[in-house]
Amino acid sequence: MIKDKDESLKVSKSYVDILRNLKSKIMLAQQRAMGAVNRELIIVYRDVGKTIYDQQKIGDWGDSIVKTLARDLQKSFPGIRGFSYRNLYAMKELYLAYKNNEKLQTLSAQISWSHNVIILSKCKDDIQKEFYMKMTKANSWSYRVLRHKIELESFEKTMCAQTNFKSSLPSNMLAEAALVVKDEYALDFLDLSDKHSEYELEKAIIKNIEGFLREVGASLAFLGSQYRLEVEGQEFFIDLLFYNRNIKSLIAIELKVSEFIPEYIGKMQFYLAVLDDKVRVSGENPSIGIILCKSKKRTVVEYALKDVNKPISVSSYHLVKELPQELRKELPSLKQMEKLLENI
């Protein structure tokens, strides 16, 4: 009897493991199937847009024909949403926007129709569209999150980021690491007055950690606040510690409610050295530091980072959404932007 009971327990544990494995495979298959359906649907939408464009170009179709086409398609495919008169013209726009750009054609088929529509309506140039397509796919952004990111000008803020990554990170992780940080973070979701302490800022972030993760990156896992480090009996505390799953790096964030000063760099270098030596595990990349200040002077930051050997970004935060006009002048060239995105 005891033997039978033991065997039953073994079978039960084995069954649970098998069930978990099968569920994982089924979910993965569902995701792949949904992705395949989405790709085919976007390709069809592009074909619809091409047909409308071709017929209008030769003068055969006016608005009334497009309206008729919308009604007929909706009747023929009642289970498929998206064949409204307005969407048919969006399909035409999709075709025209990417007909000479094979890369964007491929990327557009990797995100949903609603994501495509907002990118087409809100983004002016191809490099901007590529950025939001890749970030949507990489971070599984919902439609609402994508719209919010565009409104907050995440593209511009990422392209302006001040880091020393080129001289401090392996070349194979440069492109992805560059997209992890931004020059400015909009913390408008925090209920803070203009005059607040570092303690208040940290507590507000922890209270609104979901909103903070949406702003700094969906691929981050929160490891804790006031993360304790010990060196020869002395204790040191990192304000916020995260782990980035995409680049496999620890991300240390120091909060400063004042203007950036060069002394902040030395403290962050120390934290990163200890993290790499005592916390980082085998297979992980070098730890990255983000110094998040109330304000900064770009030239001062450039000099402060010049000879630093640990990967650090110096960013500012604001409690409003607008990108300062002076920051727009710091945007890199189109070729530099393309190079940044090519490996993502």
Side-chain angles (χ1 to χ4, degrees), residues 122-139:
K122 298 290 186 181
C123 301
K124 296 178 181 178
D125 52 57
D126 286 353
I127 193 67
Q128 194 176 11
K129 293 184 178 79
E130 181 184 345
F131 172 84
Y132 285 113
M133 285 179 186
K134 287 185 172 182
M135 295 299 280
T136 293
K137 183 175 182 291
N139 297 294

Side-chain angles (χ1 to χ4, degrees), residues 317-329:
Y317 72 90
H318 294 280
L319 304 178
V320 293
K321 296 180 179 180
E322 292 79 10
L323 183 72
Q325 188 61 39
E326 60 268 20
L327 195 57
R328 298 181 188 278
K329 300 174 185 176

Side-chain angles (χ1 to χ4, degrees), residues 67-80:
K67 288 178 181 177
T68 301
L69 178 64
R71 286 196 299 269
D72 289 341
L73 288 174
Q74 286 172 326
K75 287 178 184 178
S76 301
F77 303 99
I80 300 179

Side-chain angles (χ1 to χ4, degrees), residues 220-287:
L220 290 181
F222 182 45
L223 300 185
S225 63
Q226 294 302 306
Y227 190 89
R228 180 179 172 276
L229 301 175
E230 184 179 340
V231 179
E232 289 196 358
Q234 280 189 270
E235 292 182 319
F236 304 90
F237 298 90
I238 300 172
D239 288 342
L240 301 168
L241 186 65
F242 298 86
Y243 180 74
N244 188 293
R245 291 170 294 140
N246 287 347
I247 62 172
K248 295 181 173 57
S249 289
L250 293 164
I251 308 291
I253 298 181
E254 277 293 284
L255 304 172
K256 302 295 179 183
V257 296
S258 57
E259 184 174 82
F260 170 80
I261 57 174
E263 285 88 334
Y264 295 157
I265 296 289
K267 186 178 180 183
M268 179 58 79
Q269 282 204 102
F270 171 77
Y271 286 159
L272 295 178
V274 178
L275 283 173
D276 283 344
D277 189 50
K278 293 178 173 289
V279 182
R280 181 175 59 158
V281 299
S282 176
E284 291 182 349
N285 287 312
S287 304

Side-chain angles (χ1 to χ4, degrees), residues 102-150:
E102 189 175 340
K103 182 199 293 184
L104 294 188
Q105 283 182 31
T106 301
L107 288 172
S108 68
Q110 295 173 359
I111 60 176
S112 75
W113 172 242
S114 60
H115 287 88
N116 272 295
V117 170
I118 193 167
I119 288 173
L120 282 169
S121 64
K122 298 290 186 181
C123 301
K124 296 178 181 178
D125 52 57
D126 286 353
I127 193 67
Q128 194 176 11
K129 293 184 178 79
E130 181 184 345
F131 172 84
Y132 285 113
M133 285 179 186
K134 287 185 172 182
M135 295 299 280
T136 293
K137 183 175 182 291
N139 297 294
S140 301
W141 284 348
S142 67
Y143 171 83
R144 290 180 63 184
V145 169
L146 172 60
R147 183 177 64 186
H148 188 61
K149 293 291 185 181
I150 295 173

Side-chain angles (χ1 to χ4, degrees), residues 42-256:
I42 297 300
I43 291 170
V44 168
Y45 285 171
R46 198 161 56 230
D47 287 343
V48 172
K50 181 180 186 305
T51 300
I52 295 171
Y53 170 75
D54 289 342
Q55 294 302 313
Q56 289 185 332
K57 188 177 181 181
I58 61 177
D60 283 359
W61 285 14
D63 277 356
S64 60
I65 299 294
V66 177
K67 288 178 181 177
T68 301
L69 178 64
R71 286 196 299 269
D72 289 341
L73 288 174
Q74 286 172 326
K75 287 178 184 178
S76 301
F77 303 99
I80 300 179
R81 298 173 60 189
F83 290 119
S84 66
Y85 167 75
R86 183 177 178 181
N87 266 349
L88 292 190
Y89 272 106
M91 292 173 197
K92 175 186 171 182
E93 186 181 353
L94 179 77
Y95 164 69
L96 289 174
Y98 307 140
K99 67 186 181 75
N100 297 319
N101 192 321
E102 189 175 340
K103 182 199 293 184
L104 294 188
Q105 283 182 31
T106 301
L107 288 172
S108 68
Q110 295 173 359
I111 60 176
S112 75
W113 172 242
S114 60
H115 287 88
N116 272 295
V117 170
I118 193 167
I119 288 173
L120 282 169
S121 64
K122 298 290 186 181
C123 301
K124 296 178 181 178
D125 52 57
D126 286 353
I127 193 67
Q128 194 176 11
K129 293 184 178 79
E130 181 184 345
F131 172 84
Y132 285 113
M133 285 179 186
K134 287 185 172 182
M135 295 299 280
T136 293
K137 183 175 182 291
N139 297 294
S140 301
W141 284 348
S142 67
Y143 171 83
R144 290 180 63 184
V145 169
L146 172 60
R147 183 177 64 186
H148 188 61
K149 293 291 185 181
I150 295 173
E151 288 171 353
L152 293 178
E153 299 184 296
S154 291
F155 169 72
E156 290 83 354
K157 291 172 183 176
T158 299
M159 293 300 163
C160 291
Q162 282 191 285
T163 75
N164 66 335
F165 290 174
K166 286 184 180 179
S167 61
S168 60
L169 284 175
S171 58
N172 64 340
M173 66 177 293
L174 271 178
E176 282 191 297
L179 298 181
V180 167
V181 296
K182 294 193 287 188
D183 193 80
E184 178 191 85
Y185 293 89
L187 306 183
D188 54 292
F189 54 88
L190 300 181
D191 186 20
L192 288 172
S193 65
D194 245 1
K195 294 183 179 179
H196 53 270
S197 66
E198 288 175 7
Y199 175 80
E200 290 170 330
L201 176 59
E202 182 183 319
K203 291 303 176 187
I205 288 173
I206 295 169
K207 184 179 178 181
N208 296 274
I209 192 65
E210 190 175 333
F212 188 72
L213 287 172
R214 279 198 299 268
E215 174 61 8
V216 299
S219 58
L220 290 181
F222 182 45
L223 300 185
S225 63
Q226 294 302 306
Y227 190 89
R228 180 179 172 276
L229 301 175
E230 184 179 340
V231 179
E232 289 196 358
Q234 280 189 270
E235 292 182 319
F236 304 90
F237 298 90
I238 300 172
D239 288 342
L240 301 168
L241 186 65
F242 298 86
Y243 180 74
N244 188 293
R245 291 170 294 140
N246 287 347
I247 62 172
K248 295 181 173 57
S249 289
L250 293 164
I251 308 291
I253 298 181
E254 277 293 284
L255 304 172
K256 302 295 179 183

